Amino acid sequence: MIYLLNAHHSGSHAAWANGLARQFSDELRLFTLPGRHWKWRMHGAAVHFADLLNEEPVPSMILVTDMIDLATFRGLYRHRVPTLLYYHENQLTYPWSERDSDTTLGRDRHYGWINMTSALAADGVAFNSEYHRVALLEAIPPFLKALPDFRPKQLVERIRAKSTVLPIGFDFPDTLIETDAKPEVPVLLWNHRWEYDKGPVDFLQLCRELKKIRLDFKLIVLGESGREHPPAFDAIHQEFQNRLIHYGFAADRTQYWSLLSRATVQPVTSRQDFFGMSIVEAQWAGVITLLPNRLVFPERAAGLPLLYDSMEELVNLIVNPPDISATHIQSIAQSYRWSEVIDDYREWFRGYGF
């Protein structure tokens, strides 16, 4: 039995954990905490899960995500079993919100430290993309230079030696919802979280640039929004209301996939993405995904002419889209079906005795 501890069970973290649990059925038991208060999760989840699991039968393996202080958990958990760590994201390279006072108060380094000590405490480490693995390992040396003394030795080598890359798996619908034929005008898609790190200001700028050149286009703005969201979304709603096909969270997955199938192009403006689930979902719907030539996005382009380096290039790609069929775009996403990646997970687990 594998125990999967997901300390921030929402969004992509929840989708991955639920999908993995379905693949392993009665071989995996899922323990979760709600996806809120991420800083407290990184401190407190270890104590909560250790107390909980100390009263449960001993599993053959434990799998946790980056939102837990694994070193603390292993110190409090009474049994020694192989423990694996999966990185959805990390706090060494994640861009902090300008609204977060911890950045100015100097309290932001501790979460990166938790990510590093968790990797040291784990028997094995997996990243959701090769970009993510490289980014974290390259961030460690400059991070350590800020420490006053007694810096850990050979930290990069120790983590690299036990690391691998396992992409997120997807449960795509077998067939997309039937919709009317694709419109003649571009239909721009936003289907990311309504957060600063996804680049809503750049997306707003793009819409304004397209309006300035008098391009006729429509908008589908999806995604999860918290109690507060960047003001760029209010500006999009106000300035482009007559172009909006949809604005706000989809009522259910059926509506979500139906709206994706109506889009023609997804101009991605994210400042940070360690994997890009919303991109792969758009690709499964046959949407042309236009991606910045940085971060993880070259991995999602699969060698196709989908990358851009400037706002000017992005505008040009929308006005003159690359000649790529929806079927070709969809084939990129196909490789991320759970049926395509699950054997790699099983092989990883077997390497630690499962």
Side-chain angles (χ1 to χ4, degrees):
M1 174 67 69
I2 300 173
Y3 285 173
L4 170 51
L5 314 183
N6 195 23
H8 202 266
H9 197 66
S10 66
S12 59
H13 293 224
W16 170 81
N18 291 335
L20 193 60
R22 284 191 294 270
Q23 294 300 312
F24 280 87
S25 187
D26 56 359
E27 296 179 289
L28 186 148
R29 188 174 170 190
L30 184 58
F31 298 83
T32 69
L33 287 171
R36 56 178 182 263
H37 311 310
W38 73 266
K39 293 178 184 178
W40 170 230
R41 293 290 179 264
M42 291 192 73
H43 290 290
V47 179
H48 169 81
F49 283 133
D51 288 345
L52 184 64
L53 266 59
N54 278 332
E55 304 302 319
E56 297 287 341
V58 181
S60 56
M61 181 179 294
I62 293 175
L63 173 61
V64 307
T65 69
D66 53 271
M67 283 291 181
I68 188 173
D69 183 345
L70 183 53
T72 295
F73 171 82
R74 296 201 80 168
L76 295 173
Y77 185 55
R78 291 196 292 262
H79 310 282
R80 295 295 295 176
V81 300
T83 304
L84 306 181
L85 170 64
Y86 188 86
Y87 275 104
H88 288 282
E89 58 202 38
N90 76 83
Q91 301 306 316
L92 280 82
T93 63
Y94 201 100
W96 277 55
S97 171
E98 297 173 356
R99 299 182 305 222
D100 195 326
S101 61
D102 277 359
T103 55
T104 56
L105 294 174
R107 293 194 297 245
D108 57 337
R109 288 188 176 274
H110 189 60
Y111 302 100
W113 178 253
I114 289 175
N115 280 156
M116 287 193 300
T117 56
S118 291
L120 288 175
D123 295 300
V125 178
F127 295 86
N128 55 0
S129 68
E130 177 62 19
Y131 158 75
H132 191 182
R133 173 163 64 174
V134 171
L136 184 138
L137 293 176
E138 289 184 346
I140 290 175
F143 183 95
L144 294 179
K145 285 183 179 179
L147 306 181
D149 57 13
F150 295 101
R151 301 181 184 97
K153 303 294 185 182
Q154 303 296 313
L155 192 53
V156 173
E157 292 77 9
R158 291 155 70 186
I159 296 174
R160 180 187 288 118
K162 55 182 172 182
S163 72
T164 189
V165 175
L166 291 172
I168 294 172
F170 288 77
D171 289 316
F172 297 122
D174 292 328
T175 57
L176 293 175
I177 307 300
E178 291 293 333
T179 63
D180 296 334
K182 295 280 189 181
E184 295 183 1
V185 303
V187 178
L188 277 58
L189 172 68
W190 172 287
N191 62 328
H192 323 288
R193 286 181 290 106
W194 290 22
E195 294 289 351
Y196 69 96
D197 61 295
K198 298 302 182 183
V201 173
D202 290 336
F203 189 81
L204 172 61
Q205 180 189 348
L206 170 65
C207 293
R208 287 170 172 168
E209 293 291 332
L210 296 175
K211 181 180 179 181
K212 188 185 301 182
I213 64 173
R214 301 184 182 279
L215 180 72
D216 190 10
F217 66 95
K218 298 292 184 181
L219 287 168
I220 294 175
V221 181
L222 291 157
E224 189 174 4
S225 175
R227 289 175 295 180
E228 297 181 4
H229 58 253
F233 290 99
D234 297 324
I236 291 171
H237 187 260
Q238 180 178 356
E239 296 180 30
F240 300 97
Q241 190 166 15
N242 63 332
R243 300 177 188 263
L244 285 166
I245 295 173
H246 179 90
Y247 178 85
F249 194 69
D252 52 42
R253 295 299 286 179
T254 298
Q255 184 191 26
Y256 177 76
W257 285 110
S258 176
L259 287 165
L260 257 58
S261 68
R262 298 178 66 182
T264 63
V265 60
Q266 181 197 44
V268 175
T269 56
S270 296
R271 293 170 51 195
Q272 186 57 275
D273 246 321
F274 294 105
F275 182 84
M277 287 190 71
S278 57
I279 296 165
V280 177
E281 288 177 333
Q283 289 174 334
W284 180 251
V287 180
I288 299 292
T289 53
L290 303 179
L291 310 168
N293 191 17
R294 51 185 168 79
L295 304 175
V296 73
F297 303 117
E299 294 182 44
R300 301 294 162 259
L304 296 177
L306 301 172
L307 299 172
Y308 70 88
D309 290 297
S310 66
M311 181 62 68
E312 181 181 1
E313 288 185 17
L314 178 55
V315 169
N316 184 61
L317 282 169
I318 293 173
V319 175
N320 303 291
D323 185 17
I324 304 172
S325 69
T327 301
H328 200 166
I329 290 290
Q330 193 177 45
S331 68
I332 302 174
Q334 172 69 27
S335 63
Y336 297 107
R337 275 187 178 275
W338 272 115
S339 59
E340 299 291 327
V341 303
I342 193 60
D343 285 346
D344 292 333
Y345 280 82
R346 290 188 182 278
E347 183 178 353
W348 188 43
F349 294 158
R350 279 196 295 270
Y352 295 92
F354 181 72

